Amino acid sequence: MRLVKRIVGLVAFGVLAGAAQAAEPGLTATEIRIGEILPLTGPVSFAGEAHYLGTKVALAEANASGGVAGRKIVALTEDDGYVPARSFQAAQKLLADGVFAITGTSGTSHLNAMLPMFIEQKVLTLVTINPAEQAYNPVKKNVFVIGTDYGNAIYAGVQYAVQKLGKKDARFGLIYQDDDFGANNKLGYERAMKDFGLKSVVAIPYKRGQKDFSAEMLRVQNEKVDFLVSGGIIAENVAIFKEAKKLGMTDLRVSTVWTAHLPIVQQLAGDAGDGYYTADYMADLSDPEAAPFVAAAKKFLTADEMKKVNRYTMASYSGASILIQSIRSCEKDLTRDCVIAQLESGRKFSVNGATAPFSFSPTKHFSDSPVSVMVSDTKNARFVRAP
């Protein structure tokens, strides 16, 4: 069943018209339609729901100040259930209905299923939920990516261990998923091992969906690993933290990518998840610099919706926000080409502190945002910048 959500607000301006505008998909006399394909159900629905809320905030914010280019901006959201075949079907449906841009692209394999269609039909696409390399390397004229590489997050965690924790002579280990996501993590780990001259004593792959990590963690213990890099997503990280606690590995330090920068990981791990490190290009909701974003979210979301806000909300808000900023710069000639030119103009985009300001260029459609290392403070249900 098709899920369609419209995000609406006050529109005070008159309608701009023109032959070029009328020819653009997703533009009507009163609306600018953008599309999202998100996992609103399935194993990572927490990410899809959070992403949807970020778009909702950005669009409500824009509409409350008079709309965009004289029109109300709305989002048509399709649920793919985190199934690539459904992602492709959802994309087909949205493009047939007509959308000016796409701002939700689900997971890596899901984006892979849709990307050729987006490129062929020259659909303006902002990738925010999963900064997959294939979306920006090589550059695609109509595709822009906010974020950084998973390998860069892994590298940042290891770098912190060496430079701040004094782990230069430690025994390092890696647990990674046996797929493209894991391969990316492994590359970042291997680069860090080489650059800092470190000793890796074990690198253990696991299968997607694996639940029991007792054997892997026993091996980590037997190899006397001091610093473990966990390339898990949600349940995998939780299982690894709990197994380390069960085995009494109190001195083990664990670093992850941003898939663990989530309240749900802390909640599921309990005290076993206190003190792990995670690297992310998005700010934490508790960071002072994120206060403008939090204020905007509280203005347009209900108390129950605020409970679902996380780093994926901030990521989607960033994508929708720069799209709106660029559309506003094209009010006199609202076309995809004009918006693309604005995006790749080199201008510095700010997004209410959700992430650091960033820019694109004609040869760089990837923000390659800087990464910060954070520490899980489970007791206070937050992540704090690592000292």
Side-chain angles (χ1 to χ4, degrees):
M1 182 175 70
R2 184 178 182 223
L3 174 63
V4 177
K5 297 185 179 181
R6 290 177 176 266
I7 305 168
V8 302
L10 176 66
V11 181
F13 295 143
V15 176
L16 296 178
Q21 292 176 335
E24 290 290 318
L27 295 185
T28 73
T30 58
E31 294 181 343
I32 301 172
R33 297 176 179 175
I34 64 172
E36 297 182 301
I37 299 96
L38 300 172
L40 297 174
T41 57
V44 294
S45 59
F46 68 91
E49 291 176 353
H51 190 286
Y52 166 74
L53 292 175
T55 305
K56 178 177 181 177
V57 172
L59 270 56
E61 194 175 43
N63 290 331
S65 63
V68 182
R71 297 169 170 84
K72 174 175 53 184
I73 183 165
V74 302
L76 306 182
T77 304
E78 294 283 343
D79 176 20
D80 71 355
Y82 207 57
V83 178
R86 288 180 59 185
S87 307
F88 182 81
Q89 292 167 357
Q92 285 183 311
K93 180 64 175 175
L94 287 175
L95 297 190
D97 287 348
V99 290
F100 185 75
I102 294 286
T103 61
T105 56
S106 199
T108 301
S109 56
H110 312 73
L111 175 61
N112 287 343
M114 300 182 287
L115 196 56
M117 187 192 327
F118 294 156
I119 294 171
E120 180 183 358
Q121 297 193 32
K122 300 179 180 179
V123 183
L124 175 56
T125 304
L126 288 126
V127 179
T128 58
I129 195 169
N130 190 353
E133 183 178 0
Q134 54 268 40
Y136 61 82
N137 185 21
V139 169
K140 286 84 174 168
K141 182 67 177 177
N142 57 300
V143 182
F144 297 82
V145 181
I146 298 174
T148 194
D149 187 87
Y150 285 115
N152 290 341
I154 292 290
Y155 189 96
V158 175
Q159 183 177 36
Y160 181 83
V162 174
Q163 298 180 352
K164 299 295 185 179
L165 300 180
K167 297 290 185 180
K168 172 68 175 176
D169 298 321
R171 295 169 67 85
F172 286 81
L174 169 70
I175 295 179
Y176 64 100
Q177 192 161 282
D178 188 16
D179 61 3
D180 289 342
F181 166 71
N184 200 312
N185 289 339
K186 190 169 184 282
L187 284 173
Y189 175 81
E190 291 173 343
R191 178 161 58 92
M193 293 298 107
K194 179 180 179 181
D195 286 357
F196 299 113
L198 306 176
K199 183 176 184 179
S200 175
V201 296
V202 65
I204 311 169
Y206 69 87
K207 295 296 182 182
R208 179 187 295 190
Q210 183 173 321
K211 300 183 185 303
D212 184 356
F213 285 80
S214 55
E216 286 81 2
M217 290 305 293
L218 185 60
R219 187 175 170 191
V220 168
Q221 185 181 50
N222 290 338
E223 293 291 347
K224 296 181 173 58
V225 172
D226 301 305
F227 193 92
L228 176 66
V229 174
S230 173
I233 303 180
I234 303 299
E236 300 87 355
N237 281 318
V238 171
I240 287 168
F241 300 153
K242 286 187 172 182
E243 198 62 35
K245 180 177 175 62
K246 178 181 176 182
L247 292 171
M249 302 170 70
T250 57
D251 293 331
L252 179 68
R253 295 292 174 265
V254 183
S255 180
T256 71
V257 296
W258 56 82
T259 52
H261 178 204
L262 295 166
I264 191 173
V265 176
Q266 292 179 321
Q267 294 162 9
L268 293 174
D271 59 2
D274 194 45
Y276 68 82
Y277 298 95
T278 184
D280 200 350
Y281 53 91
M282 286 291 151
D284 189 71
L285 292 169
S286 64
D287 286 349
E289 58 264 40
F293 164 79
V294 174
K298 288 181 177 179
K299 182 177 180 180
F300 296 108
L301 300 180
T302 67
D304 285 342
E305 287 174 328
M306 283 300 300
K307 294 176 183 178
K308 298 180 180 180
V309 169
N310 59 41
R311 54 95 49 212
Y312 288 105
T313 312
M314 303 172 89
S316 63
Y317 175 86
S318 300
S321 177
I322 68 167
L323 174 64
I324 291 165
Q325 291 177 52
S326 299
I327 289 175
R328 281 186 165 149
S329 297
C330 294
E331 287 186 330
K332 294 181 179 179
D333 179 28
L334 183 49
T335 63
R336 284 174 174 168
D337 285 344
C338 179
V339 174
I340 288 170
Q342 286 296 320
L343 286 168
E344 64 180 19
S345 67
R347 66 186 285 190
K348 207 78 166 179
F349 290 102
S350 294
V351 288
N352 269 344
T355 188
F358 57 89
S359 62
F360 303 108
S361 74
T363 58
K364 178 177 170 287
H365 283 199
F366 178 44
S367 71
D368 199 15
S369 301
V371 172
S372 295
V373 177
M374 307 175 199
V375 185
S376 170
D377 178 5
T378 301
K379 181 179 179 181
N380 296 298
R382 63 177 184 171
F383 294 85
V384 297
R385 293 290 179 100

